[in-house]
Amino acid sequence: DGGITQSPKYLFRKEGQNVTLSCEQNLNHDAMYWYRQDPGQGLRLIYYSQIVNDFQKGDIAEGYSVSREKKESFPLTVTSAQKNPTAFYLCASRGLLSNEQFFGPGTRLTVL
Amino acid sequence: GNSVTQMEGPVTLSEEAFLTINCTYTATGYPSLFWYVQYPGEGLQLLLKATKADDKGSNKGFEATYRKETTSFHLEKGSVQVSDSAVYFCALYNSGGSNYKLTFGKGTLLTVNP
């Protein structure tokens, strides 16, 4: 089955620690995205990558970092510089000739 | 810039009621429009889409028509079921320049009671 996997589903961290969220896709998609979702708000774009070894900041990149060393993987690191990291994080991917994004199941991060 | 405005929820309906969730947008050019659905604790699933004016997207009994003259893409369903309870997001995709991202509305929570 082709799709996007995110792990873990729930993640707890202490304040001040960096944490990395995993996103893997086997859809052979070129573009990948990270979104943050907070209660009562829409999705806000953190980072996106349209090709391996290249990525761009989205609307709320401060306090986050990403890498894109492989086509199928786009991990997101939430650093200690992110002021309010507790949120639901969603990864998505898109084929080169498509305007449709496919989403993973999400990771709920709670910083204690 | 691009923006999407959708009706604020929550919306609570009885089973078999008619559903409308309003969505209007602001964008330059000719964006593609989408409705995504999010069930509790899950990611987003594409519900339907339309890529040009007057296109009608439909899926699972839901419909939405791309109205350029009113910049709208309202979601409708004739008879909702309890299993339709979820959050619905309207979104637009505008590939102008190098900005290949979706712009989302804030979401509308729908609860359908038996």
Side-chain angles (χ1 to χ4, degrees):
Chain A
D1 265 328
I4 302 175
T5 56
Q6 292 186 243
S7 60
K9 189 169 179 64
Y10 299 95
L11 190 55
F12 296 88
R13 279 295 182 268
K14 292 182 179 179
E15 196 171 335
Q17 289 182 334
N18 291 356
V19 59
T20 297
L21 281 60
S22 167
C23 177
E24 304 277 332
Q25 54 98 1
N26 61 5
L27 300 167
N28 199 33
H29 284 171
D30 291 280
M32 296 186 75
Y33 303 78
W34 274 106
Y35 294 90
R36 172 183 171 136
Q37 184 179 18
D38 295 283
Q41 302 209 26
L43 275 67
R44 293 183 289 169
L45 183 66
I46 304 172
Y47 267 98
Y48 64 104
S49 167
Q50 297 189 69
I51 196 169
V52 174
N53 292 324
D54 187 48
F55 48 82
Q56 288 80 39
K57 293 181 179 179
D59 300 318
I60 55 164
E62 186 174 351
Y64 300 97
S65 66
V66 294
S67 63
R68 186 85 188 277
E69 297 177 1
K70 298 186 296 182
K71 187 176 184 178
E72 59 270 24
S73 179
F74 191 42
L76 172 75
T77 297
V78 184
T79 75
S80 56
Q82 168 49 233
K83 301 292 184 211
N84 187 17
T86 294
F88 190 49
Y89 290 88
L90 288 159
C91 179
S93 70
R94 176 181 63 82
L96 187 63
L97 300 178
S98 171
N99 58 12
E100 182 178 330
Q101 291 186 17
F102 292 83
F103 284 81
T107 292
R108 185 166 298 281
L109 172 65
T110 301
V111 176
L112 306 170
Chain B
N2 302 323
S3 67
V4 174
T5 302
Q6 60 182 105
M7 64 185 285
E8 292 190 18
V11 174
T12 303
L13 297 173
S14 298
E15 205 164 23
E16 299 183 2
F18 184 84
L19 169 71
T20 299
I21 301 178
N22 290 337
C23 172
T24 58
Y25 67 90
T26 302
T28 56
Y30 301 92
S32 296
L33 301 174
F34 302 85
W35 277 100
Y36 282 86
V37 59
Q38 184 179 36
Y39 298 103
E42 297 184 9
L44 275 66
Q45 300 175 25
L46 179 65
L47 182 59
L48 53 85
K49 68 177 183 180
T51 57
K52 61 183 188 296
D54 300 324
D55 267 2
K56 177 186 282 187
S58 61
N59 186 26
K60 300 181 181 179
F62 290 89
E63 293 183 340
T65 301
Y66 188 160
R67 302 284 188 202
K68 189 163 177 63
E69 64 275 14
T70 54
T71 62
S72 66
F73 193 55
H74 305 321
L75 182 68
E76 296 182 337
K77 186 175 185 182
S79 176
V80 294
Q81 305 300 311
V82 172
S83 57
D84 293 326
S85 298
V87 180
Y88 292 82
F89 291 94
C90 185
L92 74 82
Y93 179 87
N94 204 344
S95 61
S98 60
N99 195 4
Y100 295 91
K101 68 173 189 176
L102 283 172
T103 300
F104 287 89
K106 292 190 174 182
T108 302
L109 173 63
L110 170 66
T111 301
V112 180
N113 295 318

